[in-house]
Each structure stands twice: as structure tokens, then as C-alpha cells.
Amino acid sequence: MCYKIDNQEIGTYISGLIEREFKSARQFCIAYLQKNGFSEPCREDIQKMANRLSQIIKGAKAIQIHDLPTFSELLHVSFEQILSAGKCGKPKNRMTNYTVAQSHSKAEWTAYIEEKDNPILNPDEYGKTVLEYAIMFGNYDFLKFLVDKNYIWFDSRNDNDYIKTFGAGTNIQRNKFDVLDNGVFVFHPNMNDLQCKLATEDQLRIHLISFAADHNDLSMLEKLRAREIPELYYQAHYLSCSCPDFNAHYNPDMVKHIAKSSDKVLNYFTEPFEIRDKIRYKDGSNRKHTFVFPYISQLLDILVENKSPFLQLALEKSIKHNECTKEKLNSLIKESIHNGCYCDDYWKKEVIFHENGNVVHFRDPLSVTGIITNIVRTTKHSENSQINQLIQKLNDSYNGIKHITEEEIHTL
């Protein structure tokens, strides 16, 4: 098919492509220069390219032959499409992290995952993975598809993996390695690829928790261990040592999403849960510890402010947890004193409270018994007198545990 070269039409066509593929014409100019050997183009080079591009877009100058390969690659169209202003030529159906993350087609997702060079594993030229784009676009369908099909996971189900994440990973990872003369394989991890981001960063899981809460997806929340943080599994069993850094995982946006979720989701996040550690009792069973959602105090504050209909139940459950914690703590202290572990008030040295996470722990140095848990409070007040009574009861129980070392042991 014949067509006439019309610089003005070509310029208009190119302008539309740049608007579709780039945030600005300046970004396109930088990408063009980088593709042509300018690793860090200076302001002068960028301005020269911007002026030339402006003339092409206006139709005042024709696009040059040497421009076509770069324009074609950056704008994802063929030479023929450019020269015919889109009238001729077949589109270049190039899938990218950016385009796939916006798609809602399972066929496109699967095709991209199965591409020979596994582009889904790598960040694009802007350093973003397909998961980061999917989160940016709020494409929960795509994220859920990847998890449900086990292309990615956020929980390996192996406690030994729980350090910075819950052993997150992907089964579509491409190994990168060199083979030396002696036949030895040398692995070269890319610290920016999908596997490394999943294995070393917990932010992707935290963002996905927000989406799952919005979609009332309790099954996904359970897969994500949404109430927990990984450090509990390798720090909680050291009852007198370092405490998990709850604040490091706090994401206020995530808690806001949870606060606006359904009663079913709120019930999940306000329910205590158990974790086991590596210490075993004489009967061979693992020691267990009871915790509540690390950010339940912040969640309660938002529920008070929002006048949530779930607030009363959330307060009642939190009060029960605090009271059970104090009862168990008292019992352990009494038992330790009775067994001769402590003289006078030495037991007080083993009751430790951490403001970071509102964590309290106590150990009996002559046995494997002890407790570590987090307790709950709220800093807000309600216009409802009944709710305020519950708030007062909650905070009184919190302060009673926090200051338990100030009490006389015979009153416990």
C-alpha cells in the first residue's frame, strides 16, 4: 500500500505516541539520548534534543532515517507506522511491566509470564517491577492471580525462612550464572530483580494487605499472614533479649485501609493469634506465644475517630486480651517465686516492657516457661459514654501491666 509522507501528520502521530508512553516530552528526549550513547545526558544535550523534537512534532522538520530505530523502539511502533502516521503497518505488540500491570486479561498475564527471557522478573528502565506497577495501578485482580496460581508467594510455610519476610519468592525466577573453566557455577543475583525484592523487602506484602482488606478477601489476608511481622519468629523466643521492631513495619496507610474494611476483616485483625518458637517442653511440644495485631492500638484510635460500629467489640476483645495477659504474667511470677527462682523483688528485673510495640515479656531462668506478648491501649476519647468506659477499662489494664513491677507480689 502506498502512502504519502506528510511531516505534519507524522509529527501529530509521534506527539500522541509520546503522550501515551512517557510522562513528558522531556522524558522521551532523555530516553532517546540514553539509547544513543549518552548515559547521563547534560542539560544542554537534552535541550537540543527537545528543540529538534519540537520541530518534528510541529511538522517543520522531517524525522531523520537515523531516528527511526530509536523512535520505533521507544514508542513501540514499526518504521512503517511512523512514516505513514499510523495508517499502515502492524502494531508492535510488545508487552512490558508497565502495560501488563494495567491489563485485566489472564491470557496476557500468562503470555508475559511464559515469555522466553522472563521479562516479568526484571525491573524496567525506570527500575520498577511488574508488582510495583500493579500496586501503583491498584490491579488487585492481577496480584491475586499471581498469588493464587503460585507464581509468587509471601509465605514459604517454613519458620526458618522468617527473617525480613515470611520467605517470599517466585517460581518463575531465572538463574543468572557464569560457568568457569573448571566447571564451577558462579551465581550472580540481581539485587533489583523480582526474586530479590520479594525475598528482602516486606513492603510488597504490606501494600497487598491493604488491597485484600479493601476487597474483603480474608483468604488472601491469611495467606499474607497479615496480622504478623516476620521478626516474631526469630526474636520472640528469646524472652530476655532483643524485641521485634514493630515500628519498622508500621504503615499508616495500611491501617487506614483496615479501619475502613468490613466487620469480617476487622474481626480478623482484632483476634489474638499464636506463634510457636523453637523451644520445646519435656513432652516435645513447641512453646507458643499469644499476640495481637502489632498495630491494633493505632487501629483502635482510627475506629474511635471514625465512630466505627465495630469499635465496641474491638475494645471488648482488646480488654480481654490485656486481662488474660496480666493473669498469666501474675501466675508465672508467683510460680517462679514459689520455686525459689527469685529472692525478694529480683523477679522485677525479668519483667521488661518495650514502648516499641507495647511488648511485655518475662522469663523464668530455671525453666522454659515465660511470656512475651503485646498489649493494647488507645489514645482517643469518644462522645459515647459507654465507649469511654470501655476505653478507660482498656487503658487501666494496659497501665496495670506496664507498671506491674510497682505492685507488691503478695497482692498479685
Side-chain angles (χ1 to χ4, degrees):
M1 179 179 179
C2 295
Y3 52 83
K4 181 181 179 180
I5 301 294
D6 187 317
N7 290 337
Q8 199 162 26
E9 286 188 2
I10 292 172
T12 301
Y13 178 66
I14 288 173
S15 176
L17 292 174
I18 290 173
E19 286 183 15
R20 184 187 71 181
E21 300 291 339
F22 292 86
K23 292 182 179 179
S24 66
R26 178 181 174 82
Q27 279 198 351
F28 172 82
C29 291
I30 293 171
Y32 178 96
L33 292 169
Q34 289 174 336
K35 288 287 184 182
N36 286 275
F38 295 80
S39 57
E40 294 184 8
C42 65
R43 183 180 298 178
E44 184 179 353
D45 292 330
I46 296 170
Q47 189 58 52
K48 286 181 180 178
M49 181 61 200
N51 292 339
R52 190 161 74 85
L53 178 63
S54 177
Q55 294 298 307
I56 293 172
I57 288 174
K58 290 176 181 177
K61 289 188 177 181
I63 186 171
Q64 302 299 302
I65 292 175
H66 62 79
D67 287 327
L68 288 174
T70 307
F71 273 59
S72 174
E73 182 179 356
L74 292 177
L75 300 176
H76 307 141
V77 291
S78 65
F79 292 7
E80 191 176 10
Q81 284 179 281
I82 293 174
L83 295 175
S84 67
K87 296 183 178 69
C88 301
K90 293 182 179 180
K92 293 177 69 177
N93 295 320
R94 175 177 174 265
M95 292 186 291
T96 65
N97 287 349
Y98 184 83
T99 58
V100 170
Q102 297 178 72
S103 170
H104 288 270
S105 166
K106 290 184 180 181
E108 287 187 11
W109 301 337
T110 303
Y112 193 57
I113 290 167
E114 294 177 353
E115 279 200 15
K116 182 178 178 181
D117 294 330
N118 300 120
I120 192 173
L121 297 174
N122 302 314
D124 63 9
E125 61 267 36
Y126 301 109
K128 289 188 179 295
T129 66
V130 69
L131 289 190
E132 290 169 317
Y133 279 127
I135 288 168
M136 184 173 76
F137 296 127
N139 193 345
Y140 184 67
D141 291 339
F142 178 46
L143 294 166
K144 184 174 173 61
F145 171 81
L146 291 173
V147 173
D148 288 346
K149 296 296 184 181
N150 208 37
Y151 287 121
I152 63 172
W153 57 86
F154 291 89
D155 180 10
S156 68
R157 302 295 173 181
N158 184 348
D159 295 3
N160 293 325
D161 296 338
Y162 299 171
I163 302 176
K164 289 187 177 181
T165 71
F166 287 111
T170 174
N171 67 1
I172 50 176
Q173 173 64 22
R174 179 181 70 250
N175 289 332
K176 307 175 182 67
F177 56 83
D178 292 332
V179 183
L180 303 183
D181 293 338
N182 59 2
V184 174
F185 291 85
V186 180
F187 180 66
H188 295 291
N190 179 350
M191 297 309 292
N192 291 316
D193 69 17
L194 182 58
Q195 172 60 38
C196 283
K197 282 182 177 289
L198 285 169
T200 61
E201 300 176 10
D202 203 34
Q203 290 304 307
L204 293 173
R205 182 182 71 94
I206 290 172
H207 283 300
L208 193 48
I209 289 171
S210 297
F211 289 130
D214 290 343
H215 287 79
N216 195 29
D217 193 341
L218 196 58
S219 175
M220 177 66 78
L221 291 171
E222 290 171 344
K223 287 181 180 179
L224 297 171
R225 291 188 178 271
R227 295 179 298 200
E228 307 172 42
I229 60 173
E231 286 88 342
L232 291 178
Y233 286 84
Y234 73 93
Q235 287 185 310
H237 63 279
Y238 296 112
L239 294 175
S240 62
C241 299
S242 60
C243 182
D245 186 359
F246 283 46
N247 292 345
H249 290 264
Y250 177 55
N251 184 302
D253 187 60
M254 177 189 73
V255 178
K256 288 177 183 177
H257 278 266
I258 294 167
K260 293 186 292 185
S261 63
S262 68
D263 285 1
K264 183 170 74 171
V265 171
L266 285 170
N267 188 64
Y268 167 79
F269 277 101
T270 53
E271 193 71 19
F273 58 90
E274 286 187 337
I275 68 162
R276 66 178 186 272
D277 66 22
K278 297 175 183 178
I279 305 298
R280 292 181 181 273
Y281 293 113
K282 292 180 180 179
D283 64 3
S285 63
N286 286 81
R287 187 172 61 188
K288 295 181 179 180
H289 308 287
T290 300
F291 284 87
V292 288
F293 179 47
Y295 314 111
I296 191 169
S297 293
Q298 294 92 328
L299 176 59
L300 284 179
D301 282 351
I302 299 174
L303 294 180
V304 174
E305 290 178 336
N306 293 349
K307 300 178 182 178
S308 168
F310 192 82
L311 175 59
Q312 180 173 336
L313 181 56
L315 288 169
E316 290 170 348
K317 292 169 74 175
S318 298
I319 292 167
K320 181 179 178 180
H321 170 71
N322 281 5
E323 291 178 342
C324 288
T325 297
K326 186 169 184 180
E327 183 179 341
K328 183 175 180 180
L329 183 58
N330 291 346
S331 176
L332 288 169
I333 292 171
K334 282 184 176 181
E335 184 179 349
S336 294
I337 293 173
H338 177 74
N339 292 338
C341 296
Y342 299 106
C343 298
D344 299 326
D345 289 341
Y346 288 153
W347 62 270
K348 294 180 179 180
K349 294 181 180 180
E350 293 293 346
V351 180
I352 302 173
F353 181 82
H354 298 270
E355 296 284 350
N356 182 345
N358 298 319
V359 176
V360 60
H361 53 93
F362 169 80
R363 69 162 187 165
D364 182 333
L366 299 183
S367 69
V368 296
T369 60
I371 183 175
I372 180 168
T373 188
N374 56 327
I375 56 176
V376 193
R377 66 169 179 170
T378 180
T379 63
K380 304 299 180 180
H381 295 281
S382 171
E383 297 174 358
N384 184 309
S385 59
Q386 184 180 359
I387 292 297
N388 269 336
Q389 288 177 4
L390 291 173
I391 289 173
Q392 186 64 51
K393 187 174 182 180
L394 175 69
N395 289 340
D396 286 346
S397 65
Y398 170 90
N399 289 321
I401 296 168
K402 182 178 179 180
H403 302 294
I404 198 168
T405 55
E406 298 172 7
E407 298 183 17
E408 294 296 330
I409 195 63
H410 65 267
T411 64
L412 296 178

